[in-house]
Amino acid sequence: MTRPTARRGAGRPRTPVLSRDRIVDAALELIDDGGTFSLGLLAERLAVKPSSFYNHISGKDDILAGVQERITDAIDAGMFERLPWADAVVEWARAYRAAFVAHPHAIALFATAPVMGAGRTLRMYEQVVTGFRAAGWPLEAIIPAIVAIESFVLGSALDAVAPATILEPGPDAEAVPLFAAAVSARDLRAAAENMTAADLAFATGLRAMIDGLAASASR
Amino acid sequence: MTRPTARRGAGRPRTPVLSRDRIVDAALELIDDGGTFSLGLLAERLAVKPSSFYNHISGKDDILAGVQERITDAIDAGMFERLPWADAVVEWARAYRAAFVAHPHAIALFATAPVMGAGRTLRMYEQVVTGFRAAGWPLEAIIPAIVAIESFVLGSALDAVAPATILEPGPDAEAVPLFAAAVSARDLRAAAENMTAADLAFATGLRAMIDGLAASASR
DNA sequence: ACCTGAACACCGTTCAAGT
DNA sequence: ACCTGAACACCGTTCAAGT
């Protein structure tokens, strides 16, 4: 039955209530709940005062960076060691998008200061590059392809959390008949395939991009 | 030599200093200059007080929506009436991305409340859908393809304005040798082709996606 | 070492008061 | 009709003071 090693001359040990991890945890929860994110609200949740944060983090941006890390760290790239290239890329892109879409109110974070930072992340990239290399990709073509996929994934995640109305013809439908018909046909198809409109666009684009990349690699 | 029609019983006519257009104009300029965007700074530029804005707009978000419209309205889709489908799509995607990249500090606006709103915009979509239809696309496949392209364009624009360092191996390079080599090879290639790394990724992804979409359409 | 209260400069928005 | 000054509630951050 040990107790925390007593520091020299200290009275009672006083376990701190805050830590960077605990702050980032609570921040992600607060963001996921929607509504506004402010240090005042965050402090309230942790039964603490806003000024207390500054013993553990350098400011609001530091907290947000921690949240971003937490989300991207959930992305796995192990599929490149198990699956053929095309299947692995599809799986990876899906997992990537899913990690963003699981935190819709946090996505704006990635938009302004895009993606990825930690050391875990570099290991993921190593796995992905290895998968491309094993499939015969020339070294200088790999990163552009990966960045292209990431750009598509981020754009699709933003689309997925966007209000569904942005692409609706609205009252001016008769002025743009073909567009209106195309949207209706899309809605019918999405319903029939039991997907959201955003899912359908993502599946379409991912399929196309992987096919296109595969074709360019074998050319 | 006419003067503004005198209202009933009015003294001097008093032309107003502000208008929605003038506010949005100045807002875009302020955003493009980088740094922070606030109503206080905007008012200062216009030699006016922040409270004056509320005679012309409903709030900060209204101004930002105006800025967004101004930028997206610059995107033309006339190429669909002049070029074969594949060429037109490539041109359109490039113009789309260019409109965003021309205002790097404004891009975050599109991320949170993605893209497009006005009536000009609907006409653009009508042109694009018409181009797809003329190329033989089935109606229900058109919108998903367009949205996929838009997602890629937005993601690529965000990538283009991101700090270039985000995908650098840094001091841990020896732990991820293949990734580090791939980044170096990419940098060499980009320099040789006189493109930025972001340009290269965009060109790669766009080519792949259009090829993939073309293949799926003729299947 | 870590939490706090007070203070700071700034934010967007409202509204009665001016002309 | 349109601009303003004052006020409001809130923001992120600093820092001396506590323990």
Side-chain angles (χ1 to χ4, degrees), chain B residues 14 37-40 50-51 54 59-60:
Chain B
R14 303 264 226 135
F37 174 80
S38 79
L39 299 191
S51 48
Y54 293 82
K60 194 191 189 193

Side-chain angles (χ1 to χ4, degrees), chain B residues 196-208:
Chain B
T196 69
D199 290 342
L200 192 54
F202 177 65
T204 299
L206 182 58
R207 182 76 273 142

Side-chain angles (χ1 to χ4, degrees), chain B residues 32-55:
Chain B
D32 282 345
D33 284 357
T36 48
F37 174 80
S38 79
L39 299 191
L41 260 14
L42 185 62
E44 206 171 286
R45 277 203 178 212
L46 289 162
V48 118
K49 303 298 163 189
S51 48
S52 307
F53 291 139
Y54 293 82
N55 288 296

Side-chain angles (χ1 to χ4, degrees), chain A residues 14 38-39 51 54 59-60:
Chain A
R14 303 264 225 134
S38 81
L39 299 192
S51 49
Y54 293 81
K60 194 192 187 190

Side-chain angles (χ1 to χ4, degrees), chain A residues 126-216:
Chain A
E126 184 73 4
Q127 284 181 298
V128 176
V129 172
T130 304
F132 273 67
R133 202 73 175 109
W137 278 69
L139 204 54
E140 73 278 5
I142 295 177
I143 299 294
I146 291 174
V147 172
I149 294 167
E150 286 182 317
S151 296
F152 174 62
V153 164
L154 177 57
S156 296
L158 290 165
D159 176 55
V161 307
T165 60
I166 47 162
L167 212 79
E168 298 299 325
D172 301 328
E174 71 235 20
V176 289
L178 210 50
F179 174 62
V183 170
S184 293
R186 187 273 313 263
D187 289 341
L188 274 171
R189 180 179 163 205
E193 301 188 16
N194 199 28
M195 300 170 86
T196 68
D199 290 342
L200 191 54
F202 177 66
T204 298
L206 183 58
R207 182 77 273 142
M209 189 174 284
I210 307 304
D211 287 353
L213 288 174
S216 83

